[in-house]
Amino acid sequence: MAIDKEIKKKVIEDWQNTFPQLTLYAQDRLYKIVGPIIIGLELIKLPRTDEYRPHFVIYPLFGNKMGNDVKACFAGPILLQEYSNKKGFQYNIPYTKHSTFFREVVESVKKQSPLPFDSNISLTKILNVIDEYSKKPPLSAAPNSYLQAVIQEVKLKIALFKSVEEAQNVLGQINKRDWDISHFKACNVDINKWRQELQELISNRDKFLKQIELNKEEKKIAQLNSAELVL
């Protein structure tokens, strides 16, 4: 169902005015940079309706298994979280009745966002948020699967942006974990090779940092507000 462009424009303007720390990246996306990641809000249109639902998102600025460029960074979020109303249900906000629900939704966003939009953020806070996300369904169903390993790898890369020491701490946790080797094999991943690649990544930190800086120079990303990743 097509929504009038002016209505959608007014909706995103309301969100941007309410969260000026975030920068308009696209018609339904507001982002900011925090060290090696992008955080923000996405107003996702629900299929076959004239309604939308706000989501909190985290994207990497270091790419993924598919590559290291900006396209790969946005291929999939590290974290995608919906917001709930006072009854515990997800929001379904009609574009045409946006103003009716907006104040309540904004309060939910301010209370439920796992990371702040208006300040620098500590490495510990980000790693804890990702850990908590990994313990929720469906990921919690297989706590030692390769899917969980991918999340730990993301944590290592975020830590590596801060220092080699912080990354080694995460790698130590990874190496102590009793991974489900059969699931690694099912995903066509050699666990020993994976661990070795993580150590090599830490050893080549300068190359890793250069790729992040290169992605930050992309025209639209360079226009985003930014905050510091602190210890």
Side-chain angles (χ1 to χ4, degrees):
M1 193 177 298
I3 308 298
D4 184 86
K5 288 183 179 180
E6 288 303 312
I7 292 176
K8 290 192 76 173
K9 183 179 178 182
K10 176 64 168 62
V11 168
I12 197 67
E13 283 178 353
D14 282 350
W15 282 98
Q16 187 171 25
N17 290 336
T18 305
F19 296 97
Q21 311 90 348
L22 303 178
T23 308
L24 183 66
Y25 184 84
Q27 191 178 27
D28 52 5
R29 300 182 179 196
L30 295 166
Y31 296 149
K32 76 180 294 184
I33 296 169
V34 183
I37 61 174
I38 286 173
I39 70 171
L41 294 170
E42 292 186 0
L43 312 181
I44 299 178
K45 183 182 179 299
L46 300 175
R48 298 176 297 280
T49 73
D50 60 352
E51 301 170 334
Y52 76 90
R53 183 177 293 167
H55 293 69
F56 176 88
V57 292
I58 302 177
Y59 288 98
L61 273 167
F62 40 77
N64 58 24
K65 295 293 183 184
M66 307 301 293
N68 301 322
D69 60 7
V70 171
K71 184 177 180 181
C73 292
F74 285 109
I78 296 170
L79 183 153
L80 179 72
Q81 177 179 307
E82 296 163 338
Y83 295 96
S84 302
N85 61 25
K86 292 176 182 177
K87 294 181 179 180
F89 298 115
Q90 297 163 2
Y91 284 101
N92 299 333
I93 307 165
Y95 284 94
T96 54
K97 296 182 180 178
H98 156 79
S99 58
T100 305
F101 294 90
F102 188 57
R103 181 176 293 183
E104 179 191 338
V105 178
V106 165
E107 286 306 308
S108 295
V109 169
K110 288 179 177 179
K111 290 177 182 177
Q112 297 172 28
S113 291
L115 297 173
F117 296 136
D118 58 355
S119 64
N120 296 332
I121 304 176
S122 72
L123 174 63
T124 301
K125 176 67 173 174
I126 292 176
L127 298 188
N128 286 344
V129 164
I130 294 173
D131 261 342
E132 287 302 310
Y133 185 67
S134 73
K135 294 172 184 175
K136 295 176 181 177
L139 290 168
S140 59
N144 293 312
S145 68
Y146 177 63
L147 299 179
Q148 291 282 356
V150 170
I151 293 174
Q152 295 303 310
E153 181 174 333
V154 166
K155 285 176 54 185
L156 183 147
K157 289 177 177 178
I158 294 172
L160 183 58
F161 179 84
K162 205 65 197 158
S163 72
V164 167
E165 182 181 7
E166 294 294 339
Q168 289 286 8
N169 287 340
V170 178
L171 183 59
Q173 296 166 15
I174 288 172
N175 289 336
K176 289 177 184 176
R177 197 132 162 194
D178 185 19
W179 294 107
D180 181 355
I181 297 176
S182 63
H183 191 260
F184 275 71
K185 288 180 179 178
C187 295
N188 201 29
V189 176
D190 182 306
I191 190 169
N192 293 321
K193 185 179 179 183
W194 174 67
R195 286 173 171 154
Q196 182 182 348
E197 287 171 349
L198 295 182
Q199 184 59 66
E200 289 172 356
L201 176 69
I202 295 173
S203 300
N204 291 290
R205 180 172 181 260
D206 287 347
K207 181 181 177 182
F208 172 76
L209 294 179
K210 283 179 182 176
Q211 184 60 52
I212 292 172
E213 291 307 311
L214 188 65
N215 289 337
K216 285 183 178 180
E217 291 171 4
E218 192 271 338
K219 187 176 180 180
K220 290 183 72 175
I221 291 177
Q223 296 172 356
L224 298 179
N225 290 338
S226 62
E228 295 295 320
L229 177 66
V230 297
L231 284 176

